Amino acid sequence: MLAYFKRVGLALGGVIGAVLTGIALESYVGIPFATTYRIACAVACLVLIFKLGKDYPGERWPRSAFFICLIVNVLLFFTPIMDRRPSRGELMIFALPDVIIVLMILIASKKAVDVHQRAVRQQMILGLIVALLFCSALYSLIIFNPDH
């Protein structure tokens, strides 16, 4: 139970630290808070993928997924999606493409030799389709928003 509270405390401390860093960068350096907030969201997604790589030692797919997600997250900063005010759901803008990339690489690298493994692969493909639909709907709503 103590370990749980320690993790929650570290997470809250990290959020407070990120907000204070964003405010300080805006005040002293002139970097907008929205940019630092988005960078923190992208880094949070990449940290989760990096931790996923530690769960699968010796396999190459988590490392490949991490580097492709890093490239996609950096490229997202140069899209029209970032030309708007940040929102509380900003994490989803980076998390959805990362989930799609990780699922695609995992599906491509997973060997299915028996019925159970084929069923698991089919479930991952269904999850990939749902993530693609949700991601395309979210990005369409952001891009075609009249307030944009």
Side-chain angles (χ1 to χ4, degrees):
M1 190 69 164
L2 184 62
Y4 173 75
F5 287 120
K6 187 185 270 188
R7 272 194 239 134
V8 170
L10 284 172
L12 288 176
V15 169
I16 291 169
V19 168
L20 291 177
T21 302
I23 292 171
L25 285 173
E26 185 174 31
S27 298
Y28 298 117
V29 182
I31 299 173
F33 180 77
T35 303
T36 56
Y37 176 59
R38 288 182 174 131
I39 289 172
C41 289
V43 167
C45 292
L46 290 173
V47 165
L48 289 174
I49 295 170
F50 184 76
K51 283 184 165 185
L52 184 66
K54 289 188 171 224
D55 290 341
Y56 294 93
E59 294 190 29
R60 288 181 31 189
W61 71 265
R63 199 172 328 120
S64 302
F66 176 80
F67 287 115
I68 293 172
C69 288
L70 176 66
I71 292 167
V72 168
N73 286 352
V74 169
L75 291 176
L76 276 174
F77 280 96
F78 301 105
T79 62
I81 293 172
M82 297 300 160
D83 294 339
R84 60 180 182 74
R85 291 186 334 227
S87 66
R88 291 177 290 190
E90 203 72 28
L91 186 66
M92 291 302 290
I93 290 175
F94 296 102
L96 283 172
D98 291 350
V99 166
I100 291 168
I101 291 166
V102 169
L103 274 172
M104 284 173 48
I105 292 176
L106 181 60
I107 290 168
S109 67
K110 188 146 181 92
K111 294 179 182 165
V113 293
D114 64 354
V115 177
H116 176 69
Q117 290 175 348
R118 282 194 290 276
V120 169
R121 181 184 281 190
Q122 289 171 354
Q123 290 173 354
M124 288 192 299
I125 291 170
L126 179 64
L128 175 65
I129 292 169
V130 170
L132 281 168
L133 290 173
F134 191 71
C135 186
S136 63
L138 177 71
Y139 282 7
S140 298
L141 287 173
I142 290 171
I143 290 174
F144 296 120
N145 186 5
D147 295 333
H148 177 66

